[in-house]
Amino acid sequence: MAGKEPEPEQPRAPDPRLQRDAQLDQMATQLQELAGAKDRLHGLLGAVLAISRETDLPAVLHRIVTTAMSLVGARYGALGVLDESGESLNEFVTAGLSESERTDLSDVEFPRGRGVLGYLIRHPEPLRVDDIPSHPASAGFPPGHPRLSTLLGVAVSVRGTIYGDLYLSERRDGQPFDRDDEAIVVTLAGAAGIAIENVRLFEQVRDSAEHFQRLLLPTLPDLRPFTGAAVYRPAPTPGHLGGDWYDAILLPDNACAAIIGDVVGHDLRAAAAMAQTRSMLRALLFDHLSPPSTVLDQLDRTLHAITDLPVTTACLARIEPAQDGWTLHWSSAGHFPPLLITPDRHARYLYAEPGLPLGVDTEHDRPDHTHPLPPGATVVFYTDGLIEDPTRTLDEGLEELAHLATTHVGLPLQDFVDTLADHHPSDGHDDTAILALRTPAN
């Protein structure tokens, strides 16, 4: 009797617990990937914002390198800027090198675009290399250079033209760069190109505004027997035109006139008003040879009659011959007091009753003041941009300026005013004018 064939085993039903565990594992993996992508997106947005805040080109280039390194976890980074030919590098910004590595490379010229770096210049497509020495374009490393294995290179374009190449090397986790790294650095490079263009436009506007402002300011004439020096420093804001000005001239009565002023506002109107005021004041000084208060009052009335002058502070002074030296004769239109430094390095602010600023009320007369000046004395006139800082009191700024002036008054006068401008006690956010006059030593 033929045996009955065994019935095939029925497949076991999947264990619901195992299915659930597998689904949970898959969901956990997806969530980790989403969290990683979210973190990278936030990191990219933060990097773009950080780059866009910079207003100085070297700072922008360095920030691009360091933010790219942070986004992909690279140990080393660099940005090579192409020369005008677009065929080699004329600048190489690096980050990640230790002090000892920098020392080892101190005598090595920066790369000009040979080897794998040059390959990216000739082929400006994203480049990932897992083993640099084995790449066909590899030209080796100079003596003292860290031995690198992996590379991620991306071109940076500005207005459709290749500006340079961003290079990253050696992920800190030891893994080669992947497609996600490439995608995020390509995105960053696009933002970097916009940031570079913005800062170049910023610098062009700033330089044009500064050049225009300087054209409106005088070159001091020969003031002998006195010595004079002046400096103007623009505010860092692009397109910022200030109303700060200075002037000094010898007068027919052997006095030396000095003026410092500040027109309220930071625009073309302020700059134009400054130029009008300075030119008219020169004419009034020569025509009247009057006390400073009289000249300021006449200037105020004249400007009121012929133009809509913004509010302006000013200090007009005359250094006049006296029997035993010189006399400072001045009047203020709401301006800061002159700073006197004697030959023995004693500093004193010449506080006195200030008059109203120009452009406020032409019916109020301004007082005159006098103070003796010994031979070799230095008088400093300045605008608020030299001393004002919102985080400190005005007295603190004035005190620091006096200390700075006494410390450096022994310098030649131009070096002296440059030093005051370089080490100013202000926050540096406003334009600054400084004028200094020194009486003859004998």
Side-chain angles (χ1 to χ4, degrees):
M1 182 172 174
K4 215 174 175 182
E5 291 187 7
E7 294 182 7
E9 290 186 11
Q10 296 296 322
R12 291 183 179 182
D15 188 333
R17 289 173 300 177
L18 293 178
Q19 282 185 320
R20 185 171 61 250
D21 289 345
Q23 290 173 341
L24 288 173
D25 288 342
Q26 184 179 10
M27 289 174 62
T29 300
Q30 291 174 339
L31 287 172
Q32 287 178 345
E33 291 175 352
L34 287 172
K38 181 180 178 181
D39 289 343
R40 277 201 157 188
L41 179 59
H42 283 172
L44 177 60
L45 292 174
V48 171
L49 289 173
I51 293 171
S52 64
R53 291 191 196 103
E54 301 290 352
T55 57
D56 177 72
L57 184 57
V60 168
L61 300 182
H62 188 264
R63 176 78 73 169
I64 291 168
V65 177
T66 56
T67 52
M69 291 168 59
S70 176
L71 286 172
V72 299
R75 181 178 175 185
Y76 300 104
L79 190 139
V81 180
L82 297 177
D83 61 14
E84 291 184 359
S85 71
E87 298 176 356
S88 63
L89 304 176
N90 70 349
E91 187 177 354
F92 202 68
V93 181
T94 63
L97 292 170
S98 66
E99 287 300 320
S100 61
E101 288 170 333
R102 288 188 179 279
T103 300
D104 293 340
L105 291 170
S106 59
D107 295 330
V108 177
E109 186 181 19
F110 75 82
R112 295 291 181 179
R114 297 177 57 246
V116 179
L117 304 189
Y119 180 88
L120 184 59
I121 294 173
R122 296 187 298 275
H123 305 86
E125 300 294 331
L127 175 67
R128 282 187 286 125
V129 179
D130 294 344
D131 183 35
I132 294 174
S134 66
H135 191 278
S138 177
F141 299 103
H145 196 285
R147 297 299 162 183
L148 308 179
S149 298
T150 60
L151 176 74
L152 170 58
V154 173
V156 176
S157 298
V158 175
R159 302 188 69 175
T161 300
I162 303 297
Y163 176 83
D165 295 301
L166 179 59
Y167 308 101
L168 302 165
S169 185
E170 306 304 291
R171 267 179 42 168
R172 292 186 179 276
D173 61 5
Q175 298 298 311
F177 295 104
D178 56 29
R179 290 186 180 276
D180 289 341
D181 296 328
E182 178 183 316
I184 202 165
V185 175
V186 167
T187 304
L188 178 68
I194 295 172
I196 292 169
E197 174 65 7
N198 285 343
V199 79
R200 293 201 303 188
L201 291 172
F202 177 101
E203 290 180 343
Q204 288 174 10
V205 172
R206 181 177 60 195
D207 292 346
S208 297
E210 180 180 346
H211 180 65
F212 176 73
Q213 184 84 15
R214 292 187 186 282
L215 288 175
L216 297 178
L217 293 171
T219 299
L220 294 185
D222 185 353
L223 299 173
R224 284 181 292 185
F226 306 98
T227 306
V231 62
Y232 170 77
R233 295 289 170 82
T237 308
H240 181 110
L241 288 172
D244 293 21
W245 95 94
Y246 58 81
D247 204 353
I249 54 174
L250 282 176
L251 299 176
D253 60 353
N254 297 321
C256 179
I259 181 71
I260 194 86
D262 186 359
V263 178
V264 172
H266 302 100
D267 52 21
L268 281 172
R269 181 168 178 260
M274 176 268 286
Q276 284 181 305
T277 304
R278 185 180 68 82
S279 299
M280 191 169 297
L281 182 58
R282 272 202 169 192
L284 291 173
L285 282 169
F286 269 96
D287 183 53
H288 290 277
L289 299 180
S290 303
S293 64
T294 303
V295 177
L296 285 178
D297 292 344
Q298 181 62 47
L299 174 67
D300 201 2
R301 289 191 294 270
T302 304
L303 290 170
H304 179 76
I306 66 174
T307 186
D308 182 18
L309 176 73
V311 174
T312 301
T313 67
C315 180
L316 173 61
R318 286 168 48 96
I319 299 180
E320 304 166 346
Q323 189 170 9
D324 55 352
W326 308 88
T327 297
L328 183 70
H329 186 176
W330 80 98
S331 183
S332 174
H335 203 78
F336 291 100
L339 173 62
L340 169 63
I341 307 105
T342 57
D344 59 359
R345 294 177 184 263
H346 176 74
R348 175 182 177 181
Y349 285 101
L350 301 180
Y351 290 105
E353 180 187 352
L356 290 175
L358 303 174
V360 174
D361 187 344
T362 59
E363 299 302 319
H364 282 74
D365 295 333
R366 297 173 179 84
D368 279 293
H369 314 283
T370 60
H371 192 279
L373 298 180
T378 302
V379 185
V380 181
F381 306 89
Y382 51 92
T383 57
D384 57 357
L386 183 64
I387 56 172
E388 289 189 341
D389 183 338
T391 65
R392 297 190 302 178
T393 67
L394 188 58
D395 286 342
E396 288 174 328
L398 290 168
E399 182 179 351
E400 186 174 339
L401 174 60
H403 175 73
L404 186 66
T406 54
T407 301
H408 299 284
V409 73
L411 294 172
L413 203 57
Q414 188 61 55
D415 294 338
F416 172 67
V417 296
D418 287 339
T419 300
L420 296 185
D422 290 339
H423 303 283
H424 55 80
S426 73
D427 62 359
H429 289 165
D430 198 2
D431 49 339
T432 297
I434 307 171
L435 171 65
L437 294 178
R438 184 169 291 164
T439 58
N442 295 313

